[in-house]
């Protein structure tokens, strides 16, 4: 199993934002920022910091739940950016059902009744959870893919800048670009300690 900040332990049958004024950019606060103001908003947080303003600490082996809410119906995409720069795709996956979230609804991942839990593993350090909400479904084929029989997609870029660049292509593809007012992002941080 891949060593990552979120070890996706599958129970049952499988074992396993302030808008910017320039192009999407990397920063300490976020991974990608929509440069165009939009009425669509999304918020993400972890279970130990429901306000999403702190940086809670988890220990290796702790369960973690990630929650997101949108103010309009939207497709929600969740990624965990690990301290070593690698990225894990949390949602969509093959176990959680739809990644479409209704306006005002809060979705928790994993949700009650899901056949898996997220257990924190290494590497230790600061993690960022990135949520993208889009009014239209995004094509993630340039960003991630599922290996045969796997429940969670593997993110192709292995560095944070590579991930940010690939994600900017996903939300602004050359053919049929997603209108910039149709998507937005948010991030939350947590630390993996001893």
């Amino acid at each position: 199993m891949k060593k990552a900040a979120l070890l996706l332990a599958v129970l049952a049958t499988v074992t396993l934002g302030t808008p910017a004024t320039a192009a999407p950019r990397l920063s300490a606060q976020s991974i990608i920022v929509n440069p165009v103001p939009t009425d669509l908003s999304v918020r993400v947080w972890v279970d130990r910091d429901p306000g999403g303003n702190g940086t809670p600490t988890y220990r290796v082996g702790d369960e973690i739940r990630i929650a997101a809410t949108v103010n309009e119906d939207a497709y929600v995409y969740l990624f965990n950016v690990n301290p070593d720069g690698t990225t894990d795709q949390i949602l969509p996956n093959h176990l959680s059902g739809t990644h479409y979230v209704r306006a005002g609804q809060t979705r928790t991942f994993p949700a009650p009744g899901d056949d898996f839990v997220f257990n924190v593993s290494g590497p230790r350090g600061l993690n960022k959870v990135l949520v993208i909400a889009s009014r239209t479904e995004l094509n993630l084929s340039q960003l991630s893919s599922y290996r045969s029989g796997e429940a969670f997609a593997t993110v192709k870029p292995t560095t944070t800048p590579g991930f940010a660049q690939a994600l900017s292509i996903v939300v602004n593809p050359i053919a049929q670009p997603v209108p910039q007012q149709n998507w937005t992002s948010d991030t939350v941080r947590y630390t993996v300690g001893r």
Side-chain angles (χ1 to χ4, degrees):
M1 196 176 281
K2 179 182 164 192
K3 186 175 181 182
L6 286 181
L7 172 65
L8 303 171
V10 180
L11 305 176
T13 59
V14 181
T15 57
L16 12 123
T18 305
T21 57
R25 62 182 173 84
L26 292 172
S27 74
Q29 292 78 30
S30 62
I31 304 303
I32 185 170
V33 175
N34 188 337
V36 176
T38 177
D39 292 332
L40 176 63
S41 68
V42 64
R43 193 171 78 81
V44 65
W45 64 93
V46 293
D47 56 352
R48 291 195 181 164
D49 182 26
N53 298 320
T55 307
T57 299
Y58 291 83
R59 294 187 321 193
V60 172
D62 288 349
E63 285 186 21
I64 186 172
R65 290 190 185 275
I66 301 165
T69 188
V70 290
N71 69 332
E72 297 178 25
D73 295 353
Y75 293 92
V76 173
Y77 303 85
L78 285 169
F79 300 92
N80 189 86
V81 181
N82 302 305
D84 64 3
T86 60
T87 304
D88 300 308
Q89 182 175 310
I90 301 167
L91 191 71
N93 63 59
H94 287 263
L95 299 174
S96 291
T98 184
H99 61 286
Y100 189 74
V101 178
R102 297 279 180 198
Q105 178 185 19
T106 297
R107 292 278 311 271
T108 303
F109 306 97
D114 279 348
D115 290 336
F116 64 98
V117 297
F118 292 146
N119 290 105
V120 174
S121 70
R124 291 178 172 89
L126 182 65
N127 288 260
K128 295 177 190 135
V129 176
L130 169 69
V131 63
I132 300 286
S134 176
R135 290 183 179 115
T136 57
E137 195 163 15
L138 300 175
N139 179 353
L140 299 183
S141 64
Q142 296 290 321
L143 185 66
S144 63
S145 62
Y146 291 91
R147 294 184 182 140
S148 179
E150 293 291 322
F152 292 87
T154 300
V155 175
K156 296 173 188 175
T158 58
T159 64
T160 302
F163 172 70
Q165 181 179 17
L167 189 56
S168 69
I169 292 168
V170 166
V171 296
N172 289 308
I174 294 171
Q176 297 181 344
V178 177
Q180 288 185 319
Q181 68 273 13
N182 280 359
W183 69 273
T184 191
S185 65
D186 189 29
T187 57
V188 68
R189 299 178 303 183
Y190 69 93
T191 300
V192 176
R194 295 190 180 268

